[in-house]
Amino acid sequence: MRPTEQTEIILYSTIAIVLSSLICFISYEIGDSNISILSVFTPSILALIFTAISKGKKGVYELFIKQTIRKINFKWLLLSIVAIPLIASLAVLTSLNFDLSKFSLRTTQLLPQFVVIILIALGEEYGWRGFLLPKLIKKFNLLYSSIILGLIWGFWHLPAYFIGTGVPLQMNFMVFLLWVIVGTLFISWIYYYTKSVLTSILAHISANAAFNYLLILPEFTGSINTFLFFMLYMAIMMTIVFYVRREDLIKGYNNGYK
């Protein structure tokens, strides 16, 4: 008997958080923080297992191939890649009083950081956006779906936060959780109109790249102010987007998600 959508949402989310907790616990007990990186693959692996059980090969194909290789309007690809880094750069400039001469990158080293950033996005997005978000959209509008997903995604990070790895250091978890919700609104907005995990992967990569290469996180700047500017600008942008597109994103739902 196939579980209901609601049961799948609850079961998937619970197992994802439990697995993350287990991996982080093992990492902590062994004393090797590198092991905790394995948790980033749990969302996509679980999505594969759940989809294979409920929908078979066709469902797996739709999740990993059809949602990746599809025609996408260039504006969505561009937004996925540049929006977050641009807003992060604006936050950095704000903290520098717009003195361009003081603007600099934290690092220019590409490897191995960028490889890890890509792997993280691949390990998570087929689960969060490819599998879980469409199920939420069948039950709620995009605003509610994104808030619920943001909470799940945020608390999935909590075990890593407890052991001091995988999340920004020197940041209160509630601040981080708020960012995850705002970030989820952004990525989910693009996914809603593209139905593409590729755009979600690109947006996830761009966010983590911004945090790695720009002086925005408190562990690099010694202050939370720049990150707060960043979240403020992101929140303003998403408030405008959800207000302007409220007929689709707040009042409407499904948009073909069957």
Side-chain angles (χ1 to χ4, degrees):
M1 181 178 177
R2 181 182 172 184
T4 64
E5 295 282 351
Q6 182 173 335
T7 301
E8 279 195 315
I9 291 169
I10 296 172
L11 192 59
Y12 174 89
S13 304
T14 301
I15 294 175
I17 293 174
V18 169
L19 281 177
S20 175
S21 302
L22 180 61
I23 292 171
C24 289
F25 175 76
I26 293 172
S27 174
Y28 178 78
E29 285 294 305
I30 294 176
D32 185 354
S33 61
N34 292 324
I35 292 176
S36 65
I37 191 69
L38 295 176
S39 65
V40 305
F41 299 104
T42 56
S44 291
I45 291 174
L46 281 176
L48 170 63
I49 294 171
F50 271 70
T51 303
I53 292 172
S54 62
K55 296 183 179 179
K57 292 182 179 179
K58 181 179 178 182
V60 172
Y61 175 84
E62 290 178 350
L63 174 61
F64 288 96
I65 305 300
K66 192 174 180 181
Q67 287 200 70
T68 306
I69 305 173
R70 66 188 310 150
K71 186 176 180 180
I72 305 169
N73 189 301
F74 179 73
K75 72 177 182 181
W76 296 115
L77 288 172
L78 188 63
L79 271 172
S80 301
I81 296 170
V82 306
I84 292 179
L86 284 177
I87 292 173
S89 297
L90 176 61
V92 173
L93 285 171
T94 302
S95 67
L96 296 174
N97 294 317
F98 294 94
D99 186 346
L100 288 173
S101 65
K102 294 181 180 179
F103 185 91
S104 63
L105 296 178
R106 185 189 72 84
T107 178
T108 57
Q109 185 178 7
L110 287 178
L111 299 175
Q113 291 99 322
F114 204 73
V115 173
V116 174
I117 287 170
I118 293 172
L119 289 176
I120 289 171
L122 292 172
E124 294 187 34
E125 287 305 324
Y126 286 103
W128 302 137
R129 249 60 62 170
F131 176 82
L132 195 54
L133 181 60
K135 294 184 182 300
L136 289 167
I137 294 175
K138 290 178 184 178
K139 300 183 69 64
F140 309 101
N141 62 38
L142 190 70
L143 177 62
Y144 293 158
S145 297
S146 298
I147 293 172
I148 293 169
L149 177 54
L151 288 169
I152 294 168
W153 189 17
F155 281 106
W156 173 83
H157 284 90
L158 187 58
Y161 180 83
F162 281 144
I163 66 172
T165 183
V167 296
L169 303 177
Q170 301 177 22
M171 182 184 295
N172 184 282
F173 183 77
M174 295 309 296
V175 175
F176 174 74
L177 180 62
L178 182 58
W179 148 244
V180 173
I181 293 173
V182 174
T184 300
L185 288 168
F186 173 77
I187 301 177
S188 298
W189 162 51
I190 296 177
Y191 179 88
Y192 186 82
Y193 287 112
T194 64
K195 298 181 184 177
S196 168
V197 179
L198 177 60
T199 57
S200 302
I201 290 170
L202 292 174
H204 198 148
I205 289 173
S206 73
N208 285 346
F211 297 155
N212 184 71
Y213 292 103
L214 295 175
L215 289 166
I216 184 171
L217 297 180
E219 60 197 86
F220 304 137
T221 64
S223 170
I224 193 67
N225 292 343
T226 305
F227 192 78
L228 293 179
F229 280 129
F230 167 71
M231 286 208 305
L232 174 63
Y233 293 146
M234 285 291 298
I236 291 172
M237 180 179 74
M238 296 321 303
T239 299
I240 293 171
V241 165
F242 273 76
Y243 177 76
V244 172
R245 303 297 300 178
R246 61 190 179 278
E247 292 296 329
D248 287 344
L249 308 182
I250 299 178
K251 296 180 180 180
Y253 65 96
N254 283 330
N255 193 29
Y257 291 89
K258 304 295 185 183

